[in-house]
Amino acid sequence: MFAVLKTGGKQYKVSSGDILRVEKLAAEAGETVQFNEILMVDGTVGAPLVEGAGVQAEVIEQIKGKKVIHFVKRRRKHSSKRTKGHRQQLTLLRVTDILASGADASGVKAAIGAGSVSGAAVAAAAPAPKKKAAAPKAEAVEAPAGADDLKKLSGVGPALEKKLLEAGVTTFAQIAAWTEEDVAAMDEKLSFKGRIEREGWIAQAQELANS
């Protein structure tokens, strides 16, 4: 059985076991890919493609073609010349199977040219990686019975209040009694970055504790 397939703008006549070089495909060595643009299978000619037909092949390796030298010389008033080299990127394949029908349900990855628009579309259509389970949200720290509303201090919101409660600071009286060493230790421990002195928490706490 033979088939005529189309890929990279070219047509290839292949049989099972043939080694084929085509324009680079978006596939890794060892993967099996399937060509779905089949123009002919044995005596069946497509219009333009043979419905349900496919050619499966194993990717042997990604290679480069022979170097082609492109030389341009302009014979003008300001003449110039330029030499450029190019090696076409190719994929080396071994044809493993020719399907006259049922290729659309085979589940084999489609052979798509690397960097093509259709290749990007196939990548977008590929199954999305499984999302990592979201980390459980930290439970809110509830103020113990008898605790003061620390949010009355200037610059203290729910986030800073939570830090203070977690550090065991629950009342204005505790803050009012802080020494310079206590302020420095708390500033470093909770990363307040000088907020305690800048906002005048000790003075505020003294007033609130006496109110």
Side-chain angles (χ1 to χ4, degrees):
M1 179 182 285
F2 74 90
V4 177
L5 62 88
K6 179 181 178 182
T7 180
K10 301 180 180 66
Q11 298 177 13
Y12 302 86
K13 181 180 178 181
V14 298
S15 298
S16 182
D18 285 355
I19 301 297
L20 190 64
R21 292 195 312 170
V22 300
E23 288 194 20
K24 187 177 181 180
L25 302 176
E28 301 293 334
E31 282 190 281
T32 297
V33 295
Q34 179 172 287
F35 295 94
N36 296 314
E37 292 187 89
I38 309 303
L39 306 175
M40 183 176 180
V41 177
D42 279 348
T44 304
V45 179
L49 304 178
V50 180
E51 187 175 352
V55 172
Q56 296 181 359
E58 179 187 358
V59 178
I60 299 174
E61 61 177 327
Q62 302 288 0
I63 60 175
K64 288 185 177 181
K66 293 182 179 180
K67 190 169 186 177
V68 177
I69 303 298
H70 179 64
F71 178 75
V72 176
K73 184 173 182 178
R74 296 181 178 86
R75 300 178 184 274
R76 297 288 189 274
K77 181 178 180 180
H78 301 288
S79 62
S80 64
K81 58 183 179 180
R82 182 176 60 182
T83 302
K84 294 176 66 177
H86 173 71
R87 293 185 67 185
Q88 181 67 42
Q89 293 187 323
L90 304 170
T91 299
L92 189 65
L93 305 159
R94 179 184 293 106
V95 178
T96 57
D97 201 4
I98 295 175
L99 306 176
S101 61
D104 48 353
S106 68
V108 177
K109 175 182 176 179
I112 301 296
S116 66
V117 175
S118 53
V122 168
K130 293 182 179 179
K131 293 183 178 179
K132 293 183 179 179
K137 292 184 178 179
E139 295 182 3
V141 177
E142 294 185 5
D148 293 326
D149 184 4
L150 301 180
K151 293 192 293 297
K152 290 182 179 180
L153 293 171
S154 176
V156 175
L160 287 184
E161 183 185 41
K162 179 182 176 182
K163 284 187 175 183
L164 289 168
L165 292 174
E166 288 176 341
V169 180
T170 61
T171 66
F172 297 130
Q174 286 177 273
I175 298 174
W178 279 351
T179 63
E180 290 185 5
E181 290 76 11
D182 294 331
V183 170
M186 196 62 65
D187 198 51
E188 182 178 352
K189 179 179 179 181
L190 302 182
S191 300
F192 283 151
K193 299 178 181 179
R195 183 185 294 269
I196 297 173
E197 294 181 347
R198 187 169 62 250
E199 300 287 353
W201 284 4
I202 295 177
Q204 292 182 52
Q206 289 172 349
E207 292 181 8
L208 291 167
N210 295 325
S211 62

